[in-house]
Amino acid sequence: MLLETEYYFAVINKMKSGFAMRKFDTYVQELKYRILREVARHTWEGRDGAEMFTLFNEIASTVVHKDNVPMRCCIYKDRAIVAEQIRIALGGNCNDPNIVEVIGIACDECPQSGYVVTDLCRGCIAHKCEDACKVNAIENDGKLIAHINKDKCIECGRCAKVCPYNAIINFKSPCEVACKADAIHIVNGEGAKIDERKCTNCGLCVTRCPFGAAVDKSHITHVIRMLMASVVGTGAPVHAIVAPAIAAQFNEGTLGQLVSGIKALGFADVREVALGADLVAYEEAEAIREDGFMTTSCCPAFVKYIKSQFPELIDNISPSLSPMAMLGKLIKDKELDSKVVFIGPCIAKKAEAQLDSVAPYIDRVLTFEELQAMLDAREIDITVLEETMLEESSSFGRGFAKSGGVAAAVVQAIEEQGSGKQIKTGNASGLDKCKPLLRAAIRGTSPYQLLEGMACDGGCIGGAACLTHDAVDEKRLAESGQEAAFDEIGASIRAANR
């Protein structure tokens, strides 16, 4: 029988041998990719939703082979969890409006959050923890080792502050730590529960859960069927619009080759959301007042955060559509009979696309993870394709992918418009960093006329559905900005309107 450490390394080595195809941040993410790839492959082969449900066991057996070392207690639980992930890949629970679902049987490894006594406790005779507790929740097990009675504990933390061994800690599960909106909590015996009123759909719980229990619903089968209908002439042409952060992803091949790969999937065209960003920057430059306060509207998770937890500032949110919706509107105004699919690093865009103000312009949303799965399901090797260049945005529009880029673009647009406005801008990435700036705005002490907020650290380049979050990603994004077709925002807008 393997020792615990030997078992751990056996699992890792087995996974490495099976997951050597792609570079992702974690094996959890790579497992999710393999499930999406299999779902995409069966959809491309013409199987409909009803047939797909009958293939749960076949796909689960493909993803989790019988010779694999189990990742959990046994291979049967591994496959049961994969079957649940397949269900969510097919659209998930239609009665649950939230984009992220929690798989109950995968979410049973984390203890209930709160203050716990670790094995550092020495059973000292001072018992400072007992003295500090005002509700008599500190007990011992007969060996003088402290124990916290959760039925009494009010999580005040006084015991942790006085312990001379630092043996008492405030435990939080990875998903709770990741969620800066305080929207997810571990319920004893039930696993993680999402508070839909607070959830911003940022998806950070999805990326941080080490068991893959939190999963975002997928549009992958819907998009494939749209493409199949378009190719045979029974459906409308489908346009792909790609987020600026795409330049920092997909390490195999160039951005131009990736664009060619997207077109090879059956998309009629590939457009830059950075052009939509240019349009937004010009609109916000016109809307902003020197004596007022406005927040940006490009990050849907940030906007939802304001609406749910800072309702006093709802009227201060920029009236502009997001770059995604702006470009979708531009396309559909010119081609009424067309479909538009956004491709980016953002899970929250799936929720934004359901809004009444956005739904007319965006039909479906894909993440970079889902795009990778679609390309591989069709066995498209982008490295052998010729390049299709994206040449319709400014460097400022492409800069929207990084924190501070939106604010910089608005300042540039004000300068180009020649209005003479003088504004001070601020920016923050990560909702915990946005919180104090929003509070200052409510108090009327904000020094900014424009506040740019992003839910993900670093901006969209740190999006929850990025394939990787490497330091080199920022360099590649910067190079993409330098290669943009236009140096001025107005120039890209004028070209688009010709």
Side-chain angles (χ1 to χ4, degrees):
M1 184 174 179
L2 290 174
L3 297 174
E4 184 175 351
T5 53
E6 293 174 329
Y7 176 81
Y8 170 78
F9 284 112
V11 172
I12 294 299
N13 289 331
K14 193 73 175 180
M15 292 177 76
K16 283 183 177 178
S17 66
F19 294 141
M21 297 178 60
R22 297 288 172 196
K23 184 181 183 300
F24 294 87
D25 281 337
T26 68
Y27 291 119
V28 170
Q29 191 179 12
E30 203 149 0
L31 177 63
K32 176 183 175 184
Y33 148 79
R34 290 187 67 173
I35 293 166
L36 289 168
R37 186 191 64 193
E38 289 304 305
V39 168
R41 181 173 66 83
H42 284 288
T43 306
W44 284 117
E45 290 174 356
R47 292 178 173 85
D48 62 21
E51 289 179 293
M52 200 75 74
F53 279 103
T54 67
L55 294 170
F56 272 20
N57 290 334
E58 179 183 332
I59 297 174
S61 298
T62 300
V63 175
V64 182
H65 195 268
K66 64 180 181 179
D67 294 330
N68 284 9
V69 175
M71 292 174 280
R72 296 173 180 83
C73 62
C74 65
I75 195 171
Y76 303 106
K77 185 170 183 178
D78 287 346
R79 288 179 176 174
I81 292 170
V82 167
E84 283 295 291
Q85 290 177 311
I86 295 169
R87 177 185 62 80
I88 296 174
L90 294 174
N93 182 1
C94 60
N95 295 319
D96 182 358
N98 215 49
I99 296 301
V100 178
E101 287 190 28
V102 176
I103 300 173
I105 58 173
C107 184
D108 62 359
E109 305 293 342
C110 292
Q112 185 176 11
S113 298
Y115 284 91
V116 294
V117 180
T118 70
D119 58 7
L120 292 175
C121 178
R122 309 309 302 154
C124 70
I125 61 175
H127 286 197
K128 285 187 174 182
C129 55
E130 284 189 50
D131 293 339
C133 183
K134 304 303 182 183
V135 294
N136 299 317
I138 303 289
E139 305 168 352
N140 67 71
D141 60 2
K143 299 178 182 178
L144 303 181
I145 302 299
H147 169 74
I148 299 177
N149 185 333
K150 285 296 182 181
D151 291 332
K152 296 181 178 180
C153 181
I154 59 173
E155 307 295 344
C156 67
R158 290 190 180 97
C159 56
K161 291 177 182 178
V162 300
C163 176
Y165 290 100
N166 296 315
I168 303 176
I169 64 169
N170 185 14
F171 170 78
K172 278 193 172 185
S173 66
C175 61
E176 288 177 305
V177 173
C179 182
K180 306 307 180 184
D182 194 35
I184 190 166
H185 296 285
I186 302 296
V187 178
N188 196 26
E190 299 182 43
K193 298 294 180 182
I194 297 174
D195 184 342
E196 295 177 8
R197 296 168 302 173
K198 291 183 176 181
C199 181
T200 65
N201 294 297
C202 68
L204 293 177
C205 59
V206 175
T207 65
R208 304 292 170 80
C209 176
F211 287 95
V215 186
D216 55 301
K217 295 174 182 176
S218 179
H219 293 174
I220 196 167
T221 57
H222 300 88
V223 173
I224 290 173
R225 292 191 182 102
M226 283 167 50
L227 292 171
M228 292 172 69
S230 175
V231 168
V232 299
T234 59
V238 185
H239 298 265
I241 60 174
V242 295
I246 199 168
Q249 299 286 298
F250 301 92
N251 295 328
E252 295 180 353
T254 66
L255 176 58
Q257 289 175 315
L258 176 60
V259 172
S260 296
I262 295 172
K263 294 189 73 171
L265 290 171
F267 286 98
D269 198 8
V270 181
R271 305 287 300 274
E272 284 192 80
V273 174
L275 171 58
D278 285 332
L279 293 166
V280 169
Y282 248 53
E283 272 201 7
E284 292 189 342
E286 293 172 348
I288 198 167
R289 301 198 327 267
E290 293 178 87
D291 60 347
F293 174 80
M294 187 171 79
T295 73
T296 53
S297 58
C298 57
C299 174
F302 175 63
V303 172
K304 176 71 182 301
Y305 185 57
I306 294 174
K307 290 181 177 179
S308 62
Q309 301 199 31
F310 298 91
E312 304 95 323
L313 296 175
I314 289 177
D315 291 340
N316 298 94
I317 300 171
S318 166
S320 297
L321 292 170
S322 70
M324 172 186 80
M326 190 73 83
L327 182 58
K329 183 177 186 302
L330 181 70
I331 292 171
K332 292 208 170 190
D333 283 348
K334 293 182 178 180
E335 296 185 43
L336 297 178
D337 183 25
S338 63
K339 302 289 185 181
V340 177
V341 175
F342 172 83
I343 302 174
C346 182
I347 289 173
K349 287 293 183 185
K350 295 181 180 183
E352 183 191 347
Q354 297 176 355
L355 299 176
D356 292 340
S357 58
V358 177
Y361 313 124
I362 302 297
D363 295 281
R364 294 289 175 180
V365 169
L366 291 175
T367 63
F368 290 154
E369 295 169 330
E370 291 161 338
L371 174 60
Q372 184 70 75
M374 288 174 63
L375 289 168
D376 292 342
R378 295 295 280 170
E379 298 183 354
I380 295 173
D381 179 2
I382 67 171
T383 64
V384 302
L385 301 178
E386 294 185 3
E387 293 189 319
T388 301
M389 305 307 294
L390 295 177
E391 298 178 323
E392 56 180 344
S393 72
S394 76
S395 57
F396 293 95
R398 291 188 176 186
F400 267 53
K402 187 177 179 182
S403 179
V406 182
V410 173
V411 170
Q412 170 68 17
I414 289 173
E415 182 179 331
E416 290 182 23
Q417 290 170 1
S419 65
K421 290 180 182 177
Q422 297 293 319
I423 68 165
K424 187 174 182 181
T425 66
N427 64 277
S429 63
L431 296 180
D432 54 330
K433 309 294 193 312
C434 296
K435 182 185 293 186
L437 300 178
L438 293 171
R439 284 177 173 168
I442 290 174
R443 293 193 303 266
T445 59
S446 174
Y448 308 118
Q449 286 77 49
L450 178 68
L451 175 61
E452 172 202 315
M454 298 280 193
C456 297
D457 288 335
C460 302
I461 194 174
C466 282
L467 306 182
T468 61
H469 297 81
D470 296 331
V472 71
D473 293 349
E474 289 194 27
K475 180 182 177 183
R476 297 179 71 196
L477 184 66
E479 291 172 350
S480 170
Q482 294 169 359
E483 295 166 357
F486 302 98
D487 294 326
E488 292 186 345
I489 298 172
S492 73
I493 296 175
R494 289 190 293 273
N497 290 329
R498 286 179 192 148

